[in-house]
């Protein structure tokens, strides 16, 4: 079996160790004997929406977001829609998450987003929302916890009826006010959690890998268990940091 990851704007959108998410996906595939294919897609480049199982966009500073936004909306929007409509998964972190929405409003103007989910983000003059964060999700039946680190000036607001990725247990989440964190719309996931996200939450990595493989190889695909002692410890440490910050 092969798992095919498409990384959008790997040079610009990668702050807070987001490259670790990609490395983690690679390792968890390789440890199981699953081939891993990584394709980068930068400004001015296209991609085949049928040739990848997961699309990943990492975090970026406001200036990075400005650099990629024109290309994202002008050059890649239709390809991304087609990719998602085919049922593939998309994971976007922080700056990448903000760009999934309708717009990101900064003091001096607006960055147009993909409009893939009905959310929008507004840059605040208030202090940035920074620190450890823990959320409770409904992604699988056991409502697993996600832990990470957030650092964003933008506040994200969900349109009516739009589901968050989870509820904040500790930390700020989308906007520091309504207790929501991230967004989940079908196979699209957006979140403010860096850290990077996946090494501290390997269940989410496996969920993404398994979903991708099942689309290609059938519903019987089951990932083998790995020895996740260190990964579980990383999760616990991050959770303790978030809870002690309350
Ligand atoms: N530039 C965005 C903000 O500050 C996102 C930052 C990030 O990706 N950490 O809100």
């Amino acid at each position: 079996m092969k798992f095919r990851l498409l990384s959008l704007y790997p040079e610009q959108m990668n702050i807070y160790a987001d490259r670790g998410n990609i490395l983690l996906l690679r390792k968890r595939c390789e440890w199981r004997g699953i081939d891993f294919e990584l394709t980068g897609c930068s400004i001015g480049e296209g991609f085949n929406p049928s040739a990848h199982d997961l699309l990943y966009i990492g975090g970026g500073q406001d200036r990075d977001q400005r650099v990629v936004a024109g290309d994202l909306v002008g050059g890649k929007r239709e390809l991304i829609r087609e990719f998602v409509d085919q049922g593939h998964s998309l994971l976007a972190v922080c700056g990448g998450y903000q760009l999934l929405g309708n717009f990101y409003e900064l003091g001096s103007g607006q960055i147009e987003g993909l409009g893939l989910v009905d959310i929008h983000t507004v840059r605040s003059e208030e202090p940035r929302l920074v620190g450890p964060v823990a959320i409770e999700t409904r992604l699988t039946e056991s409502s697993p916890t996600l832990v990470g680190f957030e650092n964003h000036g933008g506040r994200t607001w969900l349109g009516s009826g739009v589901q968050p990725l989870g509820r904040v247990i500790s930390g700020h989440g989308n906007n520091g006010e309504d207790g929501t964190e991230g967004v989940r719309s079908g196979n699209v996931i957006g979140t403010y959690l860096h850290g990077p996200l996946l090494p501290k939450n390997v269940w989410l990595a496996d969920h993404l890998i398994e979903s991708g493989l099942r689309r290609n190889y059938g519903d019987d695909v089951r990932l083998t268990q790995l020895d996740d002692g260190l990964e579980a410890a990383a999760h616990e440490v991050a959770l303790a940091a978030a809870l002690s910050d309350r």
Side-chain angles (χ1 to χ4, degrees), residues 171-246:
H172 303 287
N174 278 332
N175 48 57
E177 291 181 32
D178 66 10
T180 65
E181 204 296 310
V183 73
R184 185 187 172 206
S185 172
N187 34 327
V188 174
I189 293 175
T191 179
Y192 273 114
L193 273 59
H194 291 282
L197 169 73
L198 297 180
K200 296 187 171 84
N201 303 282
V202 288
W203 66 265
L204 178 58
D206 285 355
H207 175 76
L208 294 168
I209 294 169
E210 199 166 72
S211 309
L213 293 177
R214 283 185 180 174
R215 291 195 72 262
N216 294 327
Y217 303 102
D219 287 343
D220 292 341
V221 171
R222 298 263 180 288
L223 295 182
T224 51
Q225 286 292 315
L226 297 173
D227 175 1
D228 282 334
L230 280 175
E231 290 79 357
H235 181 94
E236 289 309 314
V237 168
L239 181 60
L243 295 181
S244 70
D245 224 40
R246 272 209 277 203

Side-chain angles (χ1 to χ4, degrees), residues 5-8 18-19 21-22 54-59 91-93:
L5 178 66
L6 179 69
S7 169
L8 276 199
D18 288 332
R19 285 195 191 100
N21 289 327
I22 293 172
L54 173 66
L55 192 159
Y56 177 75
I57 319 178
L91 174 64
V93 173

